[in-house]
Amino acid sequence: MILVTGATGFIASHTIVELQNNGFDIVGIDNLCNSSVSVLDNIQKITGKKIEFSNIDIRDKDALKNFLSGYKIDTCIHFAGLKAVGESVAKPVEYYDNNISGTISLLKVLNEIGCKNIIFSSSATVYGIPAFVPITEECPKGICTNPYGWTKHMIEQILVDTQKANPDMNIVILRYFNPVGAHPSGLIGENPNGIPNNLMPYITQVACGKREKLFVYGNDYDTPDGTGVRDYIHVVDLARGHVCAMSAIDKKCGLEIFNLGTGHGYSVLDVINTFEKVNNIKIPYEITARRPGDIAMCYANPEKAKRVLGWVAEHSLDDMCRDSWNYQNNLNV
């Protein structure tokens, strides 16, 4: 049985689909602060399988332990956490409390119930302003540019120290680049509460008329067109990466770290232009000032994941834009 924290979130929901399709049994928890329990129904429509679920905040150690005591949890995939870069700059204490305190609470409960295998949802933000691009796992962790990044940075260190003190534990840290897209069924995708903090859902909300225009934060970076360059990865490819990471757990990997990205960088304007081309719709946008905490360029060298896990991203930027718009259209029906 696999425990998935943050189960109704964007990446977690897609990962549950891939895990269920590969024969794994899932129990999920989420405090629903930025997602909806209706996601579970849509997962079931895709896979035909129900998951056990409870509305729990991982900081509530007693509730967490009481719920999990009814299951034999072999592996925990830990997604739960606040994740918006800009919001973290405005609300640092909330981010440190939720992400770090929550993880410590979770680790205590996992230890008490005898679960020794963890896959952690980390981020390329731990590289800060990267020492080199494309980024390998050997790239030193840098000075993070925002509190969200620092929470991932600190949780990684907590996990490294925990595994060092408990050599029988197996921990896989997955450093995501920029997840976008949606399940091709159109049933699950990224649907944030309030104003989107990420590029693609903002674009789709402009495309459907929910928002007037897209704001592009800065066009004076040292990049080909002046806008920020990121490694956008289709969420289904990212979800498959977690299934592949289970193989490392099965092999008693100890501690392993993997970058999950495509290895290609796309600028904000690249994404806008591709979205317009693929979906035949115009996206009005306005160039505005840089956003605090953002960096110019960040994309992966994903060769280690290919070599060790046999994982390769398969979807193109066209696929990401098409599937994102398909999901947004389904929301509007």
Side-chain angles (χ1 to χ4, degrees):
M1 181 75 75
I2 298 176
L3 168 65
V4 176
T5 72
T8 57
F10 175 44
I11 302 167
S13 59
H14 289 79
T15 299
I16 289 171
V17 167
E18 297 303 314
L19 289 167
Q20 287 187 323
N21 286 341
N22 280 273
F24 292 99
D25 294 319
I26 308 298
V27 56
I29 57 173
D30 200 304
N31 68 2
L32 303 174
C33 73
N34 194 33
S35 56
S36 169
V37 72
S38 64
V39 169
L40 301 175
D41 294 331
N42 289 332
I43 292 173
Q44 188 172 349
K45 287 177 185 174
I46 295 169
T47 66
K49 299 174 184 175
K50 189 173 179 8
I51 74 165
E52 299 295 320
F53 176 80
S54 185
N55 179 351
I56 293 176
D57 189 310
I58 57 174
R59 290 171 292 182
D60 188 341
K61 185 172 176 287
D62 291 339
L64 185 59
K65 186 175 180 181
N66 287 340
F67 176 65
L68 294 181
S69 63
Y71 302 93
K72 176 67 177 77
I73 304 298
D74 301 304
T75 300
C76 172
I77 306 183
H78 178 30
F79 293 98
L82 300 174
K83 65 173 188 173
V85 167
E87 184 181 63
S88 78
V89 175
K91 301 178 179 179
V93 173
E94 186 176 334
Y95 269 67
Y96 289 122
D97 178 48
N98 187 88
N99 294 7
I100 296 174
S101 299
T103 299
I104 291 171
S105 170
L106 175 67
L107 287 172
K108 288 178 178 178
V109 172
L110 293 178
N111 179 59
E112 290 173 13
I113 67 172
C115 175
K116 297 182 179 298
N117 302 316
I118 301 169
I119 297 172
F120 175 56
S121 164
S122 192
S123 166
T125 57
V126 300
Y127 294 114
I129 299 172
F132 51 83
V133 176
I135 302 168
T136 69
E137 291 81 0
E138 284 70 44
C139 181
K141 288 166 70 175
I143 303 299
C144 294
T145 57
N146 55 76
Y148 163 72
W150 277 120
T151 68
K152 294 297 188 183
H153 190 289
M154 293 173 187
I155 291 168
E156 283 197 9
Q157 190 61 50
I158 291 167
L159 292 173
V160 168
D161 293 340
T162 299
Q163 198 280 330
K164 189 180 296 182
N166 301 274
D168 58 338
M169 290 187 73
N170 301 293
I171 297 179
V172 175
I173 294 171
L174 300 178
R175 291 175 178 164
Y176 309 159
F177 281 69
N178 288 68
V180 296
H183 194 269
S185 67
L187 289 171
I188 55 174
E190 189 169 15
N191 185 27
N193 296 333
I195 299 172
N197 286 288
N198 295 328
L199 176 61
M200 192 66 82
Y202 208 113
I203 289 176
T204 63
Q205 289 191 12
V206 171
C208 73
K210 187 173 180 179
R211 307 205 177 272
E212 180 187 358
K213 60 187 173 183
L214 172 72
F215 292 97
V216 177
Y217 297 105
N219 66 343
D220 57 349
Y221 288 106
D222 184 17
T223 61
D225 62 22
T227 63
V229 169
R230 298 290 182 270
D231 188 335
Y232 295 96
I233 176 172
H234 198 294
V235 65
V236 172
D237 283 331
L238 190 58
R240 288 192 304 102
H242 295 75
V243 178
C244 293
M246 289 296 297
S247 67
I249 294 288
D250 290 343
K251 293 172 184 173
K252 307 296 182 188
C253 62
L255 181 95
E256 286 281 8
I257 298 172
F258 299 98
N259 288 336
L260 295 186
T262 65
H264 302 285
Y266 297 100
S267 73
V268 175
L269 294 184
D270 287 335
V271 176
I272 294 170
N273 293 335
T274 301
F275 188 94
E276 289 181 337
K277 178 194 73 176
V278 168
N279 298 308
N280 194 29
I281 189 166
K282 194 71 179 168
I283 302 298
Y285 65 88
E286 177 184 324
I287 305 291
T288 187
R290 293 185 183 189
R291 190 168 52 179
D294 277 348
I295 61 175
M297 186 176 295
C298 180
Y299 62 95
N301 178 335
E303 285 303 309
K304 182 181 177 184
K306 179 180 180 181
R307 184 180 75 253
V308 178
L309 302 178
W311 175 87
V312 176
E314 297 174 351
H315 291 78
S316 67
L317 184 58
D318 284 21
D319 298 328
M320 302 176 210
C321 292
R322 184 181 302 108
D323 289 341
S324 296
W325 182 228
N326 179 46
Y327 173 67
Q328 182 68 57
N329 280 331
N330 273 9
L331 286 177
N332 297 332
V333 172

